[in-house]
Amino acid sequence: MSFDTSNENKTRQDLTQFDQIWLFAYGSLLYKVDFDYIEKRPAYITGWARKFWQGSHDHRGTHQAPGRVVTLVPQPNTQCHGIAYKVTPQVFEHLDIREKNGYLRHQTTLHLNQGDTKQGIIYIADKHNAAYLGPAPVDEMAKQIHRCHGPSGANRDYLLALNQSLNILGIQDPNIQQLAAAVLGLNDKQLSDE
Ligand code: BEZ
């Protein structure tokens, strides 16, 4: 099964008809902003939770040893906080390649500050994609994240950079805080038992 979702994304929405589009960032797009944007605002979406349930074979792991990265998982009565960027359609040509390992673009309602809502795009890797790993106990996810590396660097650095970005933005996400604490708390005994 192909892991590469970049071609499928091109067929999902015709974004070229718009001059500007809102993009919701909840993961690496919070700290690795390698695209131009026109405006950015704090934002949240409802009904989704951020989880380290997606495999990374191309950035923070390899096909032999996939790392773990974030995706969004449906969860009623939940808000996922992040940043909304106003971008041009060209930005998606870049992001469709960068985020090709199982992520598909979806349209959703973004809640911006001052009660403003906008339609925007989010990338989600759902449970049907070939790179999906799903849930695991926190200590197992922590050990996997500690040992995995890929072309974009250590899986640990991805988690800690995301945790730091959320802290700077004042976003409390217990899933990410707990996992970051578990990775930082791993001791030599636990690692040698691997
Ligand atoms: C994000 O940071 O919004 C994001 C996370 C995973 C894939 C694409 C985007």
Side-chain angles (χ1 to χ4, degrees):
M1 192 190 290
S2 170
F3 286 54
D4 186 341
T5 42
S6 57
N7 279 331
E8 190 174 343
N9 267 324
K10 277 191 216 139
T11 67
R12 287 175 76 79
Q13 302 99 4
D14 179 15
L15 300 177
T16 55
Q17 61 182 301
F18 303 105
D19 293 335
Q20 301 173 340
I21 301 156
W22 286 97
L23 162 70
F24 181 70
Y26 62 93
S28 61
L29 298 183
L30 295 175
Y31 67 86
K32 189 178 176 195
V33 189
D34 57 356
F35 53 89
D36 292 328
Y37 61 86
I38 299 148
E39 184 183 346
K40 78 172 180 179
R41 289 170 69 177
Y44 67 88
I45 57 172
T46 58
W48 296 94
R50 190 170 8 227
K51 303 275 189 185
F52 265 78
W53 289 5
Q54 175 65 2
S56 178
H57 303 74
D58 58 345
H59 282 299
R60 301 292 174 162
T62 62
H63 276 270
Q64 291 71 34
R68 277 186 179 264
V69 289
V70 279
T71 186
L72 293 174
V73 175
Q75 191 165 291
N77 308 315
T78 302
Q79 295 178 347
C80 177
H81 287 257
I83 292 282
Y85 296 101
K86 193 194 278 181
V87 298
T88 60
Q90 289 73 34
V91 166
F92 293 92
E93 291 169 22
H94 165 61
L95 293 179
D96 285 354
I97 301 295
R98 171 176 150 178
E99 305 299 349
K100 68 184 188 313
N101 200 45
Y103 292 89
L104 291 176
R105 288 194 234 126
H106 295 260
Q107 186 183 330
T108 194
T109 302
L110 312 188
H111 298 264
L112 309 183
N113 42 7
Q114 292 158 347
D116 208 1
T117 59
K118 301 280 181 198
Q119 287 304 295
I121 297 291
I122 53 175
Y123 283 88
I124 297 176
D126 73 13
K127 62 183 178 188
H128 301 295
N129 85 85
Y132 187 75
L133 295 176
V138 171
D139 57 335
E140 277 180 28
M141 290 199 285
K143 285 191 222 167
Q144 181 178 358
I145 288 168
H146 188 275
R147 79 176 164 258
C148 285
H149 293 75
S152 299
N155 202 174
R156 185 178 188 273
D157 292 344
Y158 169 101
L159 165 61
L160 297 180
L162 175 58
N163 190 46
Q164 185 183 37
S165 299
L166 294 174
N167 286 339
I168 291 168
L169 291 166
I171 297 171
Q172 297 279 334
D173 188 326
N175 292 320
I176 309 305
Q177 289 169 334
Q178 191 186 22
L179 196 50
V183 167
L184 291 171
L186 281 172
N187 60 38
D188 292 345
K189 161 100 182 59
Q190 288 163 310
L191 294 171
S192 66
D193 287 347
E194 280 252 273

